[in-house]
Amino acid sequence: QVQLVESGGGLVQTGGSLRLSCAASGRTFSPYRTGWFRQAPGREREFVARITWSGGTTYYADSVKGRFTIFRDKAKNTVYLQMNSLKPEDTAVYYCAADLGNGLGFSTWGQGTQVTVSS
């Protein structure tokens, strides 16, 4: 069974940068795609970015386009989210997720990592 473990969250000032990592463990990891989502207090979880595992095609939410970059290291079974020019509204718990290509969509989730951007 695949497990996802996020790391790299923390406290940063407005305009700063953070890089989140999501390492997959368990059986051979070869998803259709992986993605990052976030949930701020009192709000629903929202999509941030995704990447196809094989071809590396990316897609971003409008709110992060041009500031965040998703990329993966297939040899390390790890997906990253480089976050630049952070804003207070980026404050949230960030989750990585995997779509294993079994028709269930993003069905495998990590435990989340907190990102706090101070103004």
Side-chain angles (χ1 to χ4, degrees):
Q1 184 174 355
V2 173
Q3 291 183 325
L4 303 177
V5 179
E6 301 100 333
S7 60
L11 173 64
V12 64
Q13 291 184 333
T14 297
S17 298
L18 282 175
R19 177 178 292 184
L20 306 183
S21 301
C22 174
S25 62
R27 62 179 177 85
T28 301
F29 186 64
S30 184
Y32 167 54
R33 56 186 180 175
T34 57
W36 288 94
F37 296 76
R38 66 187 182 186
Q39 187 167 20
R43 302 187 64 176
E44 294 187 352
R45 188 174 299 185
E46 65 176 1
F47 165 78
V48 175
R50 67 175 186 251
I51 184 169
T52 58
W53 195 253
S54 178
T57 301
T58 58
Y59 185 77
Y60 297 91
D62 287 343
S63 59
V64 306
K65 201 173 296 182
R67 300 188 297 123
F68 291 10
T69 302
I70 186 172
F71 58 101
R72 83 275 189 256
D73 185 331
K74 296 168 69 175
K76 295 182 178 179
N77 286 345
T78 300
V79 60
Y80 302 91
L81 185 68
Q82 177 66 42
M83 307 185 294
N84 298 328
S85 301
L86 283 161
K87 306 174 181 180
E89 51 263 45
D90 295 317
T91 295
V93 177
Y94 283 70
Y95 300 88
C96 71
D99 176 352
L100 302 180
N102 55 10
L104 299 177
F106 286 103
S107 59
T108 300
W109 293 82
Q111 83 288 349
T113 185
Q114 176 71 47
V115 171
T116 303
V117 184
S118 64
S119 58

